[in-house]
Amino acid sequence: MSPVKSPGPLLGLLVGALLTAALLGLYYPAWKLAGLPFVPFDLFDFMTRILPGPLLTFGIDSMVALVRALQLGPTSVVAKTAEQILAVAGLAVTALLASAILFAILRALNGRYAYPLGLALGLLFGVPLLIISLQVGQAASTPPPLSALWILGTFLLWGFGLAFSYQRLAPRPALPPPPAVAPSTEAQAPAPQVLATPMDRRRFLIHLGSATALITVAGAVVGTLAERMRQQMLAAHPSRWSSTHELPNASAAVQPAPGTRREFTPLESHYRIDINTRAPVIDEKNWSLKITGLLDKPLALTLEDLRRYEPLHQFVTLSCISNPVGGDLIGTTRWTGVSLRRLLADLPLKPNASHLKIRSADGFFETVALQTINADERVMLAYAWDGLPLTAEHGFPLRIYIPDLHGMKQPKWIESIEAIDHDEPGYWVVRGWDKTARMKATAVIDTVSINMTIIDADQRTLIPIGGIAHAGARGISKVEVRVDDGPWQNAQLRTPLSGVTWVLWRFDWPFQSGTHTFTVRCYDGSGAPQIQTPAPPHPSGASGLHSRTQML
Ligand SMILES: Nc1nc2c(c(=O)[nH]1)N[C@H]1C(S)=C(S)[C@@H](COP(=O)(O)O)O[C@H]1N2
Ligand SMILES: [Mo]
């Protein structure tokens, strides 16, 4: 029977792939069911925090552009998924390469030290990953020592598996070396090896492959089911405000053109943007809002304490500064919380306090001027969206709302507030984005509703065209539509849900066949026109006219 050669890097890749897949197959359900850390995401989130701002911005902009160009689906959902795939692939590829290198080294060493080296490789991965995971890993809900043990143990097991597989695949000396006849150096030639035959090797690989595939598939199925149940529970939640109430403008004179986006964004469709591959998990029992700094004495408020204040309910449109004109990183829901001005009145702030520095569980931070808070009672700490406690994705237990500003200025998952005597740039400002991040007046066409025509009093066929316009907290005073190179014509404005939400507009256009380009523009509440010059999202938010060409 022909002997086999020592396993090399290629077999290392194969074994590494099988064992790494199984490893991830353990991590996924352990995360979904027990809240243990999911290390690929922790590593990715760690990288996002240390990589330079311009590189991140380039990454984010390219991702948003790609998702939109390929029409892959809701931008924030697709982008999050892409990040997660990158995270898993990144760690997996690294682990595969390490396995190949381990096998190459073991071959050079003739199989000696397989176990010590395999375990050392496990440590080489496990130790940094556990440190990283404990540092960024607010997404785990297990106690840190348990998380650490889990990461270390699983990676040691992985390293052990590599060493064990190497040994099983390596040629084995069948007989003890014959006694040396003469004490010459030549006589120390390696003993004849008899061997793991190709059959043995194939059999072992089949066993290893089936065992690891079983773990991987079972892990994926169990994890996916757990996640699906969680989603269903969220969707079926009975006590949303919007499922039991009419919108305050339900009977407004202007009704949305058919095909316009929903004026009140369902919770599960609200975009989600943050620096985490998955949301930090915060247990209300262990959470309090710490208030420190320039204050007579530090305080800690529970969610109950905050809920005791008279609740403030506001319909709010929130938009991400990365949203391109016409993009979907914008949504409207009903926020509930406590006015920060009201809360401040109860805080023993020192006279030299001028700003509040807000810090979040994920390391995100931003600073708000007391002046802003005192000038506007709508600035609030919010604990509910659509009548429900904030979801983990949207910032449970507490987030801030600051009218007029993009999401990047408004931390979710707030843990502490520090009163300070100066301004400080926030997380994204440090990374090169606009310091103020005020939402720009923007109008968007959602629909040219060719299938829902109207016949007017003069027997003309009208096509409803509609969409949104918004200008932060400044309101919208006018929206105009232009068809091809025609004149700008007034659209009708629907009464908005509040002064800080988008405004739905519609324009019933007398039908003319042919291919037409529709363009929209708006004016904010003070009559100031929107910026027509196109600009990309970075660094101050996108601007430009939105248009849509349609064959009719
Ligand atoms: N703690 C924390 N808060 C955050 C962020 C973040 O990464 N971490 N991202 C901000 C950004 S850029 C946006 S656009 C909004 C998005 O809020 P949403 O995901 O609930 O829609 O959250 C903001 N608050
Ligand atoms: Mo954002």
Side-chain angles (χ1 to χ4, degrees):
M1 216 172 292
S2 68
V4 294
K5 284 197 305 193
S6 293
L10 274 183
L11 264 182
L13 272 185
L14 176 63
V15 171
L18 295 174
L19 289 175
T20 307
L23 182 71
L24 295 169
L26 285 180
Y27 269 98
Y28 185 53
W31 164 36
K32 288 293 164 192
L33 289 175
L36 281 158
F38 191 67
V39 283
F41 291 179
D42 291 338
L43 178 62
F44 190 88
D45 290 347
F46 174 73
M47 303 289 282
T48 15
R49 279 156 186 71
I50 59 171
L51 289 174
L55 187 66
L56 287 180
T57 297
F58 173 76
I60 295 169
D61 288 358
S62 320
M63 182 109 84
V64 172
L66 188 71
V67 172
R68 280 168 57 81
L70 300 179
Q71 304 197 333
L72 295 174
T75 312
S76 59
V77 177
V78 178
K80 229 10 126 196
T81 310
E83 281 172 20
Q84 294 176 338
I85 291 172
L86 271 177
V88 172
L91 183 62
V93 167
T94 317
L96 289 197
L97 292 179
S99 311
I101 293 171
L102 177 72
F103 271 46
I105 294 175
L106 289 180
R107 175 153 77 179
L109 293 176
N110 234 326
R112 267 169 294 156
Y113 309 121
Y115 286 103
L117 286 175
L119 292 174
L121 188 65
L123 285 181
L124 192 67
F125 273 78
V127 171
L129 283 172
L130 92 82
I131 294 172
I132 286 171
S133 175
L134 291 187
Q135 201 203 317
V136 273
Q138 347 67 20
S141 51
T142 43
L146 180 60
S147 305
L149 263 180
W150 168 246
I151 296 174
L152 205 59
T154 43
F155 273 94
L156 281 175
L157 202 62
W158 173 79
F160 176 86
L162 287 172
F164 176 75
S165 304
Y166 183 90
Q167 295 291 40
R168 289 297 304 265
L169 294 167
R172 272 176 308 240
L175 302 162
V181 181
S184 85
T185 30
E186 265 107 275
Q188 291 178 5
Q193 299 196 317
V194 189
L195 306 160
T197 61
M199 267 308 283
D200 292 341
R201 183 172 276 188
R202 205 167 304 141
R203 198 172 305 131
F204 175 72
L205 286 176
I206 289 172
H207 284 159
L208 183 70
S210 339
T212 51
L214 188 69
I215 297 177
T216 312
V217 171
V221 169
V222 171
T224 307
L225 286 179
E227 172 62 17
R228 194 160 300 166
M229 266 165 60
R230 196 188 69 89
Q231 299 274 357
Q232 275 173 4
M233 271 158 60
L234 175 70
H237 212 299
S239 51
R240 296 183 182 203
W241 178 88
S242 62
S243 51
T244 46
H245 295 77
E246 269 207 332
L247 293 176
N249 62 351
S251 54
V254 178
Q255 289 297 314
T260 307
R261 77 188 69 193
R262 294 173 66 173
E263 189 165 26
F264 187 89
T265 313
L267 270 188
E268 50 284 335
S269 328
H270 196 287
Y271 86 93
R272 168 197 165 199
I273 291 286
D274 49 67
I275 56 174
N276 313 291
T277 36
R278 67 264 178 263
V281 175
I282 296 176
D283 184 353
E284 184 178 340
K285 287 195 296 293
N286 305 326
W287 180 90
S288 66
L289 173 66
K290 278 120 200 131
I291 307 181
T292 62
L294 300 171
L295 197 77
D296 291 340
K297 73 173 193 336
L299 284 177
L301 300 175
T302 64
L303 211 47
E304 267 320 300
D305 294 334
L306 293 171
R307 286 202 194 100
R308 268 196 288 274
Y309 282 90
E310 159 145 35
L312 176 61
H313 306 287
Q314 312 188 62
F315 293 92
V316 168
T317 293
L318 183 71
S319 149
C320 181
I321 197 160
S322 291
N323 195 34
V325 174
D328 59 5
L329 300 179
I330 184 168
T332 299
T333 189
R334 183 175 180 267
W335 299 46
T336 301
V338 47
S339 167
L340 203 44
R341 184 163 84 187
R342 174 70 194 80
L343 186 65
L344 278 189
D346 287 353
L347 297 184
L349 285 184
K350 297 215 160 102
N352 57 337
S354 64
H355 290 78
L356 299 183
K357 179 163 183 180
I358 297 169
R359 290 189 179 83
S360 301
D362 56 347
F364 193 84
F365 55 91
E366 199 29 275
T367 308
V368 202
L370 289 180
Q371 215 176 354
T372 308
I373 296 167
N374 287 320
D376 189 345
E377 67 178 7
R378 296 172 302 183
V379 179
M380 73 170 164
L381 294 177
Y383 46 74
W385 265 20
D386 197 9
L388 297 179
L390 293 173
T391 59
E393 283 74 17
H394 293 295
F396 182 85
L398 196 67
R399 65 186 298 168
I400 193 172
Y401 169 60
I402 309 170
D404 223 28
L405 305 187
H406 277 295
M408 62 167 264
K409 302 290 288 183
Q410 318 200 26
K412 313 190 262 190
W413 308 294
I414 296 178
E415 281 191 335
S416 70
I417 296 183
E418 183 189 1
I420 56 180
D421 63 1
H422 59 277
D423 197 1
E424 266 182 34
Y427 186 94
W428 281 117
V429 179
V430 174
R431 287 164 178 75
W433 290 81
D434 190 272
K435 179 150 183 22
T436 320
R438 175 156 289 119
M439 294 197 250
K440 295 174 177 170
T442 307
V444 177
I445 303 177
D446 282 345
T447 176
V448 175
S449 191
I450 33 181
N451 299 323
M452 304 289 279
T453 54
I454 307 164
I455 309 294
D456 75 358
D458 304 331
Q459 296 301 306
R460 291 184 310 173
T461 302
L462 304 179
I463 299 209
I465 301 173
I468 56 157
H470 66 102
R474 279 116 53 220
I476 291 292
S477 58
K478 183 157 70 163
V479 170
E480 295 174 326
V481 176
R482 182 179 67 189
V483 184
D484 302 319
D485 296 323
W488 287 103
Q489 292 173 277
N490 259 324
Q492 297 172 282
L493 301 184
R494 174 173 166 84
T495 313
L497 289 169
S498 82
V500 292
T501 61
W502 53 34
V503 174
L504 268 51
W505 58 266
R506 79 179 278 164
F507 177 67
D508 294 331
W509 172 67
F511 170 79
Q512 290 170 304
S513 65
T515 298
H516 299 287
T517 298
F518 304 89
T519 309
V520 65
R521 72 178 181 192
C522 66
Y523 298 76
D524 76 9
S526 74
Q530 77 166 79
I531 303 170
Q532 299 199 11
T533 317
H538 187 261
S540 309
S543 63
L545 295 179
H546 192 240
S547 65
R548 182 183 271 250
T549 300
Q550 204 138 336
M551 203 166 70
L552 300 164

